[in-house]
Amino acid sequence: MANLEAIRHSASHVLAQAVLRLYPTAKLGIGPAIDNGFYYDFELPTPLIPEDLIKIEAEMKSIIKENLPLIKETLSKQDAMKRLQASGQTFKQELLADLPDSEAITFYSQGDFSDLCKGPHAAYTRDIKAFKLQKISGAYWRGKESNPMLQRIYGIAFETKDELAAYLTLLEEAEKRDHRKIGKELDLFSLQDKAGAGLVYWHPKGARIRHIIESFWKDEHFRNDYELVNTPHIGQSWLWETSGHLGFYNENMYAPMKIDDQDYYAKPMNCPFHILIYNSSLRSYRDLPLRWAELGTVYRYERSGVLHGLLRVRGFTQDDAHIFCTPEQMENEIFEVIRFSKSILSTLGFDELSFYLSTRPEDSVGDPARWEQAENALRKALSMEGITDYQVDEGGGAFYGPKIDIKIKDALGREWQLSTIQFDFNEPERFDMTYIGSDGNKHRPFMIHRALLGSIERFFGILVEHYAGKFPFWLSPEQFRILTINDSEATLNHAKSTLDHLKCLGFRGTLDDRNEKLGLKIREAQVQHIPFALIIGDKEAQASQIALRKRGEQSTTLLSLDEVEALFKGLQTQKVN
RNA sequence: GCCGAUGUAGCUCAGAUGGUAGAGCAAACGAUUCGUAAUCGUUAGGUCGGCGGUUCGAUUCCGCCCAUCGGCUCCA
């Protein structure tokens, strides 16, 4: 694999060489290997257009054909600087200036191209056997908005042509599953461009799925000893001053609205409201832990350029909960959240999870001893759950507390972060939260924020892509559709009574008794990914049977209504496909 | 917000170097009664994203705005 990384890195050098050949005045930024490929940043006299990639790619191919050796040179910092000054590579000079004086500086060159780089690289350009330039984008020099924007060219590279082809197939598959596309095709949701960017409209079928997920979510919370709370969408400014959001989260909050001469803010988070409920009465250690969950809709300002379908929006519903507990309880609380999260995610179709622990950053608030206690609780809970292969991001926690994030892998092997379990040492202080301990004194409770799905909108987008719109039976907005073959009285009667029966049992379905050919009706049911087509004609009516055709299958099975009912009930309770 | 691209019928898309636009699917209506992924016909449907400018005339050229797409940055 290190080899592959070297190949990708070398591909980026070849890209830079090709660009310099075509645009001799180009200035080079950075050009690393990344997942699946590489990129290189350039400052160019003109903007690149997609057709330019074809030319650049052709130039790269000829460089590869020349089979130039990639040669490593070691220079002193002074000599390196001289070389970069000679070539006029100002960005590279900046990079070099930041390197320690004592360090030996390495350059890699192939042919007439030479680049400041720590390597390693492939031996010859011919080692780059399978690559493709993908796209052009803007990228700030060193990722800073105050810096000039460079033009970034992305490419993908693999060891073999087959692997490259497989990756391209994966990209195609991802495109087919794009939740924005499927959302339109299945009429699940929309974003109304004239009514505001990043605001989601759930259509009946999408809203139905959402309802199923939310009902399941609520039931499971009650079963797991949570209580539900509901809180307002707006709150007065003192709340956000007290919580600190107006200080550190201001950029993400919308301007206030005036009500009776008071400033009210749309909530970007639910926590201050839950804290108000906590503070509404005196709490004893006997009351703890308190676990309060809410599907709370929040509004956050996101810059226009980052909005993306359901995955990045401006108004969304968090499946939020806050746990208030004593120091003795927190370990078990964390453990329970992890267990609960695993169970919810698994039922919703995600079994491959990975765990990430983030610890105290340099700038943090709260008692260091509490941080340590909390971090230990997180580690212990993970090991109690038998999770040993989690990754640790030292210093990667929020300023107010350490956390565990859980990522899932979808059907295409892509990772998404869903659950997050986060300590908060900031807000309990700021709101002066207390409970009376067994010693009769006031103590500060531990506060844990947690979301299992993250946001309902984002989760739904991921779910659509995971299932490619073919939702399992229990989640399908339309679980079955009865298709009539003709409009004889016997057929229609049998179809209608079947529909009534199944609907009475709580199953979701419709009757397609249009005067259309069966082939068309089947096609439409398939295109809509309806789990079962129940086909009824005179033969079925006479025998009191139903020809059941499962989604994606060509064959049908003749069943009695009782048998269909049993099948459906089984799928519904087991929550499987 | 920034870089680049895009915005034509409900959907997917075509089109004119400035003279107000089409196709397929969907829709409505009619015919067809047809057993496992698309029956046929007719009709209707568009201030060509919005506003302003240039022009005799703008969907086409220019400017601004909005939205979308790919990234940067950021995050649920």
Side-chain angles (χ1 to χ4, degrees):
Chain A
M1 263 302 140
N3 184 36
L4 180 56
E5 207 179 304
I7 287 172
R8 286 174 175 156
H9 196 169
S10 300
S12 94
H13 277 214
V14 169
L15 166 61
Q17 183 175 19
V19 168
L20 277 174
R21 281 186 183 181
L22 296 167
Y23 308 87
T25 60
K27 287 194 180 145
L28 307 181
I30 56 165
I34 52 172
D35 284 355
N36 304 310
F38 59 92
Y39 69 79
Y40 215 113
D41 289 344
F42 305 96
E43 188 179 74
L44 296 167
T46 51
L48 292 168
I49 54 168
E51 288 81 84
D52 293 330
L53 289 186
I54 298 166
K55 278 189 290 178
I56 296 168
E57 202 172 291
E59 192 59 43
M60 286 176 72
K61 281 188 176 143
S62 89
I63 291 168
I64 289 168
K65 237 188 201 163
E66 289 165 30
N67 203 20
L68 304 167
L70 287 108
I71 298 158
K72 178 180 177 179
E73 290 175 83
T74 307
L75 276 72
S76 69
K77 192 167 172 182
Q78 290 83 342
D79 291 345
M81 188 56 87
K82 272 182 207 154
R83 179 184 292 200
L84 292 175
Q85 280 163 349
S87 58
Q89 290 297 347
T90 48
F91 295 115
K92 291 289 181 189
Q93 291 167 26
E94 209 181 310
L95 290 179
L96 178 63
D98 284 354
L99 293 175
D101 291 334
S102 52
E103 201 166 294
I105 305 302
T106 56
F107 274 71
Y108 277 81
S109 50
Q110 76 261 11
D112 54 359
F113 175 82
S114 154
D115 194 6
L116 169 71
C117 178
K118 70 170 187 284
H121 277 278
Y124 290 92
T125 56
R126 210 31 89 81
D127 293 336
I128 303 162
K129 292 186 164 54
F131 82 98
K132 192 172 187 301
L133 295 184
Q134 284 292 97
K135 51 199 166 196
I136 309 159
S137 80
Y140 299 107
W141 167 238
R142 303 186 121 182
K144 271 207 187 126
E145 280 179 41
S146 47
N147 284 340
M149 186 161 268
L150 308 180
Q151 298 192 64
R152 176 172 295 177
I153 299 175
Y154 282 93
I156 52 177
F158 290 88
E159 271 177 278
T160 64
K161 293 219 157 87
D162 284 351
E163 286 167 288
L164 178 69
Y167 182 70
L168 289 171
T169 308
L170 181 77
L171 290 184
E172 266 173 51
E173 183 56 32
E175 207 171 311
K176 278 188 217 153
R177 286 170 180 250
D178 192 313
H179 71 281
R180 293 166 296 185
K181 181 168 170 277
I182 292 177
K184 208 178 269 183
E185 287 165 357
L186 301 188
D187 197 19
L188 301 174
F189 67 89
S190 64
L191 294 146
Q192 302 284 334
D193 57 8
K194 280 172 192 151
L199 301 169
V200 181
Y201 292 73
W202 294 76
H203 294 18
K205 285 179 184 165
R208 176 64 84 135
I209 299 173
R210 175 174 175 160
H211 169 75
I212 297 163
I213 294 171
E214 290 187 352
S215 305
F216 166 68
W217 185 93
K218 287 179 186 173
D219 290 345
E220 287 298 305
H221 276 74
F222 286 133
R223 287 206 322 140
N224 284 272
D225 295 322
Y226 281 78
E227 290 299 331
L228 292 185
V229 296
N230 285 293
T231 61
H233 286 201
I234 57 174
Q236 282 188 25
S237 49
W238 73 264
L239 243 183
W240 309 106
E241 279 154 18
T242 305
S243 70
H245 286 101
L246 279 179
F248 66 82
Y249 206 70
N250 193 254
E251 286 154 28
N252 287 286
M253 291 174 68
Y254 291 102
M257 59 190 106
K258 273 257 193 286
I259 301 176
D260 288 343
D261 226 29
Q262 290 286 334
D263 280 342
Y264 284 72
Y265 286 86
K267 65 175 170 183
M269 294 188 190
N270 303 300
C271 30
F273 295 82
H274 290 195
I275 291 171
L276 290 189
I277 299 178
Y278 181 96
N279 280 353
S280 68
S281 69
L282 192 63
R283 306 290 173 183
S284 152
Y285 74 99
R286 293 173 193 275
D287 299 328
L288 304 182
L290 290 167
R291 306 185 195 91
W292 291 342
E294 177 177 16
L295 291 163
T297 301
V298 297
Y299 290 88
R300 298 183 185 174
Y301 173 71
E302 297 289 350
R303 306 161 104 196
S304 57
V306 306
L307 300 173
H308 181 96
L310 295 182
L311 304 184
R312 197 65 190 280
V313 294
R314 284 179 172 162
F316 58 95
T317 302
Q318 289 185 304
D319 71 316
D320 211 355
H322 295 97
I323 298 168
F324 306 105
C325 64
T326 66
E328 299 74 45
Q329 291 167 335
M330 67 182 176
E331 197 174 296
N332 190 250
E333 288 305 309
I334 302 287
F335 169 74
E336 283 298 327
V337 172
I338 294 173
R339 193 198 47 75
F340 188 26
S341 185
K342 280 171 77 172
S343 128
I344 294 277
L345 294 177
S346 164
T347 305
L348 287 163
F350 302 102
D351 285 309
E352 247 189 283
L353 310 182
S354 47
F355 297 81
Y356 299 79
L357 173 69
S358 301
T359 62
R360 190 176 171 205
E362 299 235 329
D363 282 326
S364 62
V365 300
D367 178 4
R370 287 202 144 209
W371 273 84
E372 206 180 314
Q373 268 181 299
E375 287 178 13
N376 285 337
L378 292 173
R379 284 179 208 272
K380 261 201 193 148
L382 282 167
S383 75
M384 273 163 73
E385 198 35 45
I387 301 155
T388 51
D389 58 346
Y390 59 88
Q391 289 187 36
V392 181
D393 183 359
E394 294 289 354
F399 74 88
Y400 52 81
K403 62 171 179 174
I404 291 172
D405 291 325
I406 305 177
K407 291 187 186 174
I408 55 96
K409 241 183 208 172
D410 74 5
L412 292 187
R414 298 171 301 181
E415 278 209 323
W416 304 94
Q417 193 211 304
L418 297 181
S419 309
T420 180
I421 307 166
Q422 195 151 132
F423 274 96
D424 191 333
F425 300 130
N426 185 43
E427 288 185 285
E429 267 328 298
R430 286 172 162 271
F431 282 95
D432 192 26
M433 298 173 73
T434 56
Y435 65 90
I436 309 299
S438 57
D439 57 4
N441 295 324
K442 281 188 178 177
H443 297 271
R444 188 125 287 159
F446 275 82
M447 173 173 174
I448 301 159
H449 305 259
R450 58 98 283 204
L452 306 182
L453 309 178
S455 94
I456 301 291
E457 285 76 5
R458 182 164 175 277
F459 179 75
F460 184 62
I462 293 165
L463 197 70
V464 168
E465 302 204 359
H466 180 59
Y467 286 119
K470 295 170 191 144
F471 296 104
F473 186 78
W474 73 289
L475 288 174
S476 287
E478 190 175 346
Q479 296 174 304
F480 67 91
R481 187 180 287 180
I482 298 173
L483 313 180
T484 54
I485 294 171
N486 57 44
D487 58 3
S488 74
E489 208 182 312
T491 295
L492 284 178
N493 284 340
H494 186 35
K496 280 178 186 154
S497 67
T498 301
L499 177 71
D500 287 346
H501 184 79
L502 292 172
K503 288 189 87 165
C504 278
L505 292 167
F507 296 111
R508 302 179 289 277
T510 56
L511 168 61
D512 183 356
D513 59 357
R514 283 134 77 219
N515 172 20
E516 294 288 353
K517 288 183 163 178
L518 181 58
L520 180 84
K521 296 184 182 184
I522 287 185
R523 177 167 201 278
E524 290 183 354
Q526 291 290 339
V527 168
Q528 288 292 309
H529 304 314
I530 294 161
F532 293 102
L534 275 48
I535 300 160
I536 290 176
D538 286 337
K539 269 194 290 184
E540 288 77 13
Q542 213 156 37
S544 269
Q545 285 188 310
I546 291 153
L548 182 114
R549 181 172 162 149
K550 196 173 178 215
R551 171 173 63 194
E553 288 179 9
Q554 309 267 334
S555 59
T556 54
T557 331
L558 274 177
L559 297 176
S560 69
L561 186 51
D562 285 345
E563 288 169 319
V564 172
E565 182 185 323
L567 171 69
F568 283 11
K569 278 185 174 162
L571 293 174
Q572 183 76 15
T573 52
Q574 289 165 47
K575 299 191 168 38
V576 291
N577 218 345

